[in-house]
């Protein structure tokens, strides 16, 4: 009986990493033309911005802000070896967004990013030069839950 229990526990422990890995989505790489609609795309200098409307705790509309300041903004800094993107929001709720980065401005890779809370900026960094960013798909985070993925 103890041997059977030990085998079952070992089998379960060995299976856990496979289950955890299988649940995590693989990083996506998209051509510039394949980026979803509604994304703000640019170098981040000057700022890249979205104008987001929130009603009853949900995003009801989102669009690139163009030359307007927008209420979710991303600004780049850095040099030839490192790129930093500072993301800030003037929304009254915490938001999470999808972020894609590109070294050549044509092929975009999904990048993990952290949600932004009201009054606090988020900083994303890469140890390489990034030429362009795509920012979109904003969603309201539940209160007390901060997501970085």
């Amino acid at each position: 009986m103890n041997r059977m229990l030990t085998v079952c526990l070992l089998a379960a422990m060995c299976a856990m990493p496979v289950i955890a890995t299988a649940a995590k989505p693989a990083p996506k790489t998209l051509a510039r033309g394949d980026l979803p609609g509604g994304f703000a795309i640019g170098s981040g200098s000057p700022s890249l911005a979205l104008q987001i409307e929130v009603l009853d705790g949900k995003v009801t509309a989102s669009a690139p802000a163009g030359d307007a300041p927008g209420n979710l903004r991303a600004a780049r800094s850095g040099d030839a070896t490192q790129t930093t993107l500072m993301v800030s929001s003037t929304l009254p709720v915490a938001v999470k967004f999808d972020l894609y980065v590109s070294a050549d401005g044509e092929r975009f890779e999904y990048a993990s990013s952290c949600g932004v809370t009201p009054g606090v900026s988020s900083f994303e960094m890469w140890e390489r030069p990034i030429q362009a960013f795509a920012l979109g798909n904003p969603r309201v985070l539940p209160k007390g839950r901060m997501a970085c993925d």
Side-chain angles (χ1 to χ4, degrees):
M1 180 85 162
N2 283 343
R3 183 171 182 218
M4 183 184 226
L5 181 59
T6 301
V7 170
C8 289
L9 286 174
L10 285 173
M13 286 174 26
C14 291
M16 286 171 67
V18 174
I19 293 168
T21 303
K24 186 176 181 182
K28 298 177 203 172
T29 301
L30 299 171
R32 185 182 190 103
D34 293 333
L35 287 166
F39 274 66
I41 303 168
S43 68
S45 180
S47 294
L48 195 57
L50 291 174
Q51 183 62 40
I52 302 167
E53 301 301 323
V54 175
L55 182 64
D56 296 328
K58 294 186 181 184
V59 172
T60 57
S62 171
D67 292 335
N71 50 19
L72 180 66
R73 292 180 295 283
R76 75 173 289 130
S77 62
D79 55 29
T81 61
Q82 183 181 25
T83 306
T84 302
L85 188 69
M86 181 186 76
V87 184
S88 60
S89 168
T90 58
L91 291 164
V93 294
V95 293
K96 178 73 175 91
F97 51 89
D98 289 343
L99 178 65
Y100 289 84
V101 298
S102 176
D104 64 5
E106 294 303 318
R107 305 245 351 123
F108 286 78
E109 301 169 22
Y110 183 83
S112 65
S113 60
C114 293
V116 180
T117 58
V120 179
S121 295
S122 170
F123 292 86
E124 310 294 339
M125 289 188 253
W126 298 268
E127 294 295 325
R128 60 187 171 117
I130 302 295
Q131 182 180 339
F133 301 92
L135 177 73
N137 189 28
R139 52 229 178 250
V140 174
L141 286 172
K143 287 190 187 267
R145 181 175 179 275
M146 193 38 100
C148 293
D149 59 10

